[in-house]
Amino acid sequence: MAAAVTSSRPYHIIIFGATGFTGQFVVEEVARCAAESPDGSCLKWAVAGRSRQRLGEVLTQAAGRLAMPELRTDIEIIVADVSIEESLAIMCQQGQVILNCVGPYRFFGEPVVKACVENGAHYIDICGEPQFLERMQLEYHTKALDKGVYVIGSCGFDSIPADLGILYTQKQFKGTLTAVEGFLNITSGPEGSSGHDATWQSAVHGFADSGSLRQLRKKFGQKPLPVVGAKVKKRGLVFFSKEMEQYAIPFMGSDPSVVRRTQRHLYEEDHQSPVQYTAYVGVGGLFSVIKLFCGGLLFWFMVKFSLGRKLLTTFPSFFSFGLFTKSGPTMKQIEDTCFSLTFFGEGYSEGTDPTQGRPNTKICTQVIGAEPGYVATVSAIVQAALTLLNELHSLPRRGGVYTPGAAFHKTSLIERLQNHSIKFSVKSYE
């Protein structure tokens, strides 16, 4: 059962950015969960954004798609704008958990985090931008801890499947897991798959400012995590993966960053043996590799200059070969797309000293789910919010800035996800 709301804080969940492309899907998912029991039966929620009219239209659309006419009249609309600090404060004072769907987060995220911390509302987002995520930890962890507020980033496809997938693999492994390689494969139907322009913008500005991320990490002053067992050799920039039976490249998203932060938390706080993690993504056949190589060179050149970045963000479909569009994917594309994230792990069996000899045991696990950007992501953020509401006592300390794995490793989030579009399983390892 969701935690009780009070007269001073009337909503369990407020969806900020509900009129955005992803935000509209989050609205529908929260509405579905609010109709479920036991968690949703008493769930009180609201939508927030800059335009009352557009928010009303989103609720009307959701009411029609879900056959829930009550959404038009029963769900409260809160007008809030990232550029108006007072409006964010008023919003945060009304909700226990704010789901922030307004990106790119490097431009619009910090005012929401700040408002949540200052006004006692927990914060969850679907950010896949390592620089924003790590900077929030550096600048707001102590403040959030003092206020008893949880700030949990990357609770979408970036990076719950990878982060919780590693925790799941550790739990299933009989002994000491020391290293994991993750292989992501996204499959789509005859119309292909695509992402929304906002994700493309985040990538453009993230790669353009990659040097700042290296400087930011130095400010933490952290020592490298100890390497337990054999050190994993990284593969090439492009290689043929026997595991996937296609060419693969290193995964350029936030997963490696998020997993490392989780492993550091578990090592420092719970004294767990850290796991080395490398992430790869399948790109298909040789023609796809050639296209990717040419597009990648052009991308890397253009992000270095303001004019190049302007062209990239103005014409996302052209420069991404149709992978990202201003209109986002069609419903048919979403319905026909799914993902699988397969983990190949190695380590030492129970009773074996990890400091002696080579790893002697292997494991293969898999996380599979529906379309990653707007189905799996939406399920993940909503289930993360419900887990926070219902299992607050199982989260670390009494507040702070955390990764999903660090925040939820002692909760039932994986079990919740098993019932909502994301499945975890152990596979045979040949």
Side-chain angles (χ1 to χ4, degrees), residues 274-327:
V275 175
Q276 304 170 67
Y277 179 62
T278 48
Y280 304 99
V281 58
V283 294
L286 192 58
F287 176 72
S288 297
V289 171
I290 295 170
K291 187 168 70 170
L292 179 71
F293 179 75
C294 295
L297 280 179
L298 181 63
F299 182 87
W300 275 107
F301 174 76
M302 294 184 71
V303 297
K304 303 297 182 184
F305 307 98
S306 58
L307 176 59
R309 292 191 295 273
K310 178 69 173 177
L311 289 171
L312 287 170
T313 53
T314 303
F315 306 103
S317 181
F318 177 80
F319 287 105
S320 70
F321 301 103
L323 287 177
F324 295 93
T325 65
K326 289 186 178 294
S327 59

Side-chain angles (χ1 to χ4, degrees), residues 42-43 45 50 68 114 151 195 210 221 231 238 257 313 316 324 329 339 347 365-366 385 389 394 402 410 430:
C42 295
L43 191 68
W45 60 285
R50 290 181 297 175
M68 295 181 181
K114 182 173 182 286
V151 175
S210 57
K231 185 175 177 62
V238 180
S257 161
T313 53
F324 295 93
F339 80 90
T365 61
Q366 193 171 56
L389 285 167
S394 297
Y402 297 99
K410 293 182 180 179
E430 300 177 358

Side-chain angles (χ1 to χ4, degrees), residues 21-332:
F21 191 82
T22 307
Q24 296 177 51
F25 289 98
V26 175
V27 168
E28 293 182 14
E29 182 66 9
V30 170
R32 279 190 288 264
C33 288
E36 293 177 358
S37 61
D39 293 336
S41 57
C42 295
L43 191 68
K44 306 300 181 186
W45 60 285
V47 295
R50 290 181 297 175
S51 169
R52 180 176 294 275
Q53 178 181 343
R54 288 189 61 202
L55 289 165
E57 291 169 357
V58 167
L59 290 174
T60 298
Q61 175 183 288
R65 285 169 54 87
L66 301 176
M68 295 181 181
E70 67 276 10
L71 296 180
R72 298 188 185 95
T73 55
D74 292 357
I75 303 305
E76 183 69 28
I77 291 174
I78 300 170
V79 177
D81 190 319
V82 291
S83 64
I84 304 174
E85 187 174 338
E86 183 182 6
S87 72
L88 293 180
I90 293 171
M91 174 185 73
C92 292
Q93 289 163 8
Q94 297 182 69
Q96 291 186 13
V97 181
I98 306 299
L99 303 188
N100 185 17
C101 302
V102 180
Y105 290 89
R106 66 168 50 242
F107 299 130
F108 307 118
E110 185 174 3
V112 189
V113 172
K114 182 173 182 286
C116 283
V117 171
E118 291 179 349
N119 294 280
H122 304 302
Y123 170 99
I124 294 178
D125 69 32
I126 50 176
C127 178
E129 305 165 40
Q131 186 174 348
F132 172 79
L133 295 164
E134 295 184 34
R135 188 167 65 83
M136 291 304 98
Q137 181 180 348
L138 182 67
E139 297 186 10
Y140 287 93
H141 179 69
T142 300
K143 298 174 184 176
L145 191 60
D146 291 343
K147 290 282 192 174
V149 167
Y150 288 100
V151 175
I152 310 171
S154 56
C155 286
F157 179 72
D158 300 293
S159 294
I160 274 183
D163 204 19
L164 297 191
I166 296 295
L167 299 187
Y168 176 83
T169 306
Q170 283 180 287
K171 186 175 181 180
Q172 299 299 318
F173 192 81
K174 306 301 181 185
T176 303
L177 183 68
T178 58
V180 173
E181 288 184 313
F183 292 86
L184 171 64
N185 188 37
I186 297 176
T187 57
S188 55
E191 294 186 11
S193 61
S194 67
H196 190 260
D197 173 52
T199 304
W200 173 254
Q201 288 188 43
S202 298
V204 169
H205 294 291
F207 282 109
D209 200 28
S210 57
S212 297
L213 179 57
R214 290 190 289 271
Q215 295 300 317
L216 173 67
R217 286 172 174 167
K218 291 180 181 179
K219 295 181 180 179
F220 281 94
Q222 296 170 331
K223 296 180 180 178
L225 285 173
V227 176
V228 181
K231 185 175 177 62
V232 175
K233 294 181 180 179
K234 292 186 177 181
R235 311 208 191 190
L237 290 177
V238 180
F239 62 95
F240 186 80
S241 167
K242 295 179 180 178
E243 295 86 353
M244 304 180 73
E245 298 183 341
Q246 62 178 294
Y247 285 94
I249 61 172
F251 182 64
M252 306 299 284
S254 62
D255 289 0
S257 161
V258 171
V259 170
R260 277 195 302 271
R261 289 167 58 212
T262 293
Q263 291 300 313
R264 177 173 293 280
H265 171 86
L266 297 177
Y267 171 71
E268 294 178 348
E269 298 293 328
D270 295 358
H271 310 293
Q272 290 190 21
S273 179
V275 175
Q276 304 170 67
Y277 179 62
T278 48
Y280 304 99
V281 58
V283 294
L286 192 58
F287 176 72
S288 297
V289 171
I290 295 170
K291 187 168 70 170
L292 179 71
F293 179 75
C294 295
L297 280 179
L298 181 63
F299 182 87
W300 275 107
F301 174 76
M302 294 184 71
V303 297
K304 303 297 182 184
F305 307 98
S306 58
L307 176 59
R309 292 191 295 273
K310 178 69 173 177
L311 289 171
L312 287 170
T313 53
T314 303
F315 306 103
S317 181
F318 177 80
F319 287 105
S320 70
F321 301 103
L323 287 177
F324 295 93
T325 65
K326 289 186 178 294
S327 59
T330 65
M331 290 306 299
K332 178 63 174 173

